[in-house]
Amino acid sequence: MRPAYILGIESSCDETAAAVVRSGEHVESNVVSSQIATHQPYGGVVPELASREHLRGILPVVRQALEEAHRTYDDIDAIAVTQGPGLAGALLVGVTYAKALAWALAKPLIAVNHLEGHIHAVLLEEKQKGNREVSFPVLALVVSGGHTHLYLAQEHATGSGRATWTYQNVGQTRDDAAGEAFDKVAKLLALGYPGGPIIEKLAAHGNARTVEFGRSRMKTRGKIRGKRLQAAEPGAARFDFSFSGIKTAVLREVERRGMKTAVEARRAKLARLTRPTTEQTLAACERETLDLVASFQRAVVDDLVSKTLAAAQTLEAETLFVTGGVAANRALRAEFERRTAAEGLAVYFPSRQLSTDNAAMIAAAAYPKLLAREFASPEFSAEASLALR
Ligand code: KG4
Ligand code: ZN
């Protein structure tokens, strides 16, 4: 079969990204322009600023992606863009740009669900390693700053003899996403933005057994186990998450231990630095903070792993995918690996680079749609709360 080149475009949150992927598995370029510096002073993504930065970044990022791939617009077979879910204004920049480009070049346009993109980041890299046989059903945990979703994925043959995937949502967060909890806890402890990577690094220096956040959450796990026993009713089991409670619990600990003054001193100290390094942040942290973040990370990791494995057992999943920004977390990976090894369940993660938002995953997810000629209509638009089915 002739190779197919897809130009992927992603702008759903705070990264403007473009990539060229050949035949759904060879990444010829993967350019990600991060807006971290813009949002850092606010301790979180400011939607209006995100849209403005996407507008500024999209053209240079697409050009760089083509240049790095040594391709021109003529070589491109299709343009793929994230339709949703995400920030409405941010998505609109990518969608409008992709539509205009597709129209001007007379190339097909493919709309991709961002969450399917994260799932395809795993597939893309497994194919690169030569692992083409995935056993279904696949249970995918998509865990990022905006999502903590569990999908049961099945493969279906289409009329054209090609396989496509369908997804059933079997769990999600009822409030904050796991990555959001990392970001909010980092903000309240004055550790900087985004919270995940810095908490991961600081947690390595703390004692994770200092604070027992996990205890109250055990009850939820118990309920899920209970559901497992009744799993005779298909579709009845739900494996929902909740991460707003732990953020409040961290705040309570800060108050209870009288850490507020130390937190504010750190905030003032780090505010004087343009972009504090991990070493500078670490130097500004007393032992109590390190123990607190280590305990927080342990509780979140334990909750994500326990519920996902309970879902995998109940739903008789053959394979587990863990993807999205939080999947970059080494403690999460290690815990999944340790506990799936005991159960004999295959677990796959994307590389850390493809865990966070990127456009290679969007181009990869578009490839089966190109083969099935599933193109977006010219009227399609961005959808902030697009569901994955
Ligand atoms: O997938 P992503 O780039 O964007 C969304 O779709 O949200 O994920 C970003 C999120 C942020 O909340 C960030 O704090 C979190 O992923 N994150 C991490 C790590 N790296 C990024 N969380 C925990 N540990 C990490 N190493
Ligand atoms: Zn994402």
Side-chain angles (χ1 to χ4, degrees):
M1 205 187 329
R2 184 182 88 77
Y5 296 91
I6 299 183
L7 170 67
I9 296 174
E10 152 67 38
S11 72
S12 67
C13 189
D14 61 344
E15 331 270 2
T16 317
V20 176
V21 177
R22 174 162 47 92
S23 306
E25 61 186 281
H26 305 282
V27 180
E28 301 211 324
S29 65
N30 186 23
V31 179
V32 180
S33 164
S34 166
Q35 303 178 1
I36 287 179
T38 307
H39 302 290
Q40 201 159 33
Y42 306 93
V45 178
V46 183
E48 289 77 5
L49 297 184
S51 309
R52 189 190 71 189
E53 292 301 304
H54 285 307
L55 270 175
R56 269 195 202 161
I58 196 139
L59 195 61
V61 163
V62 167
R63 283 193 181 144
Q64 192 183 336
L66 286 169
E67 228 169 83
E68 286 184 12
H70 306 291
R71 301 282 159 202
T72 65
Y73 287 122
D74 286 346
D75 301 321
I76 301 299
D77 293 285
I79 293 155
V81 67
T82 304
Q83 182 182 11
L87 301 169
L91 288 164
L92 206 55
V93 176
V95 166
T96 311
Y97 179 77
K99 271 175 144 179
L101 195 61
W103 182 81
L105 300 173
K107 307 266 180 186
L109 182 60
I110 300 168
V112 175
N113 184 303
H114 182 81
L115 302 177
E116 187 171 24
H118 276 301
I119 292 169
H120 274 264
V122 182
L123 267 183
L124 159 77
E125 291 187 312
E126 285 310 311
K127 281 189 203 160
Q128 285 172 356
K129 291 177 207 154
N131 179 12
R132 287 161 195 286
E133 294 303 319
V134 177
S135 305
F136 287 87
V138 171
L139 182 69
L141 170 67
V142 184
V143 60
S144 70
H147 318 278
T148 306
H149 283 57
L150 275 172
Y151 290 99
L152 193 66
Q154 299 278 5
E155 196 178 38
H156 298 274
T158 63
S160 58
R162 313 243 175 239
T164 60
W165 288 36
T166 58
Y167 305 88
Q168 185 193 348
N169 178 253
V170 294
Q172 67 190 64
T173 181
R174 294 187 189 158
D175 38 59
D176 292 352
E180 198 177 348
F182 273 92
D183 296 336
K184 287 181 173 171
V185 164
K187 188 175 178 178
L188 81 89
L189 292 173
L191 302 173
Y193 171 84
I198 186 73
I199 287 183
E200 173 177 4
K201 287 178 192 131
L202 298 178
H205 299 270
N207 177 356
R209 306 259 156 208
T210 315
V211 187
E212 278 303 328
F213 292 115
R215 292 287 175 266
S216 62
R217 318 199 68 72
M218 295 302 196
K219 274 193 229 145
T220 329
R221 249 163 60 190
K223 267 191 221 148
I224 296 224
R225 285 241 167 81
K227 278 204 167 159
R228 199 174 106 212
L229 300 174
Q230 307 153 15
E233 325 151 37
R238 291 281 311 169
F239 304 90
D240 285 344
F241 301 90
S242 164
F243 293 104
S244 74
I246 192 158
K247 170 195 70 194
T248 319
V250 171
L251 184 61
R252 294 268 171 286
E253 270 317 297
V254 170
E255 286 164 354
R256 202 174 66 78
R257 291 167 181 255
M259 295 166 67
K260 279 220 147 157
T261 319
V263 169
E264 290 320 313
R266 176 167 54 246
R267 203 181 299 282
K269 194 168 170 184
L270 296 180
R272 288 196 286 276
L273 307 169
T274 1
R275 188 99 192 256
T277 61
T278 306
E279 287 68 32
Q280 286 167 326
T281 310
L282 180 61
C285 288
E286 62 308 341
R287 168 132 307 279
E288 266 190 321
T289 299
L290 299 175
D291 291 347
L292 190 54
V293 295
S295 304
F296 160 79
Q297 177 174 275
R298 178 171 72 95
V300 173
V301 163
D302 184 56
D303 194 53
L304 287 170
V305 175
S306 299
K307 283 183 186 154
T308 305
L309 293 188
Q313 262 187 22
T314 306
L315 303 165
E316 295 172 354
E318 293 275 332
T319 309
L320 194 57
F321 281 12
V322 183
T323 183
V326 182
N329 188 285
R330 289 191 178 87
L332 182 74
R333 289 173 179 238
E335 191 61 7
F336 262 118
E337 266 158 7
R338 190 179 70 79
R339 286 168 64 179
T340 50
E343 298 194 16
L345 183 68
V347 60
Y348 301 105
F349 307 90
S351 62
R352 279 168 66 94
Q353 198 196 358
L354 286 197
S355 293
T356 47
D357 288 350
N358 65 85
M361 68 185 195
I362 302 302
Y367 182 60
K369 298 184 202 295
L370 174 65
L371 295 181
R373 307 193 63 77
E374 258 179 59
F375 301 132
S377 78
E379 306 81 53
F380 102 101
S381 189
E383 261 191 58
S385 29
L386 184 68
L388 178 60
R389 294 201 175 85

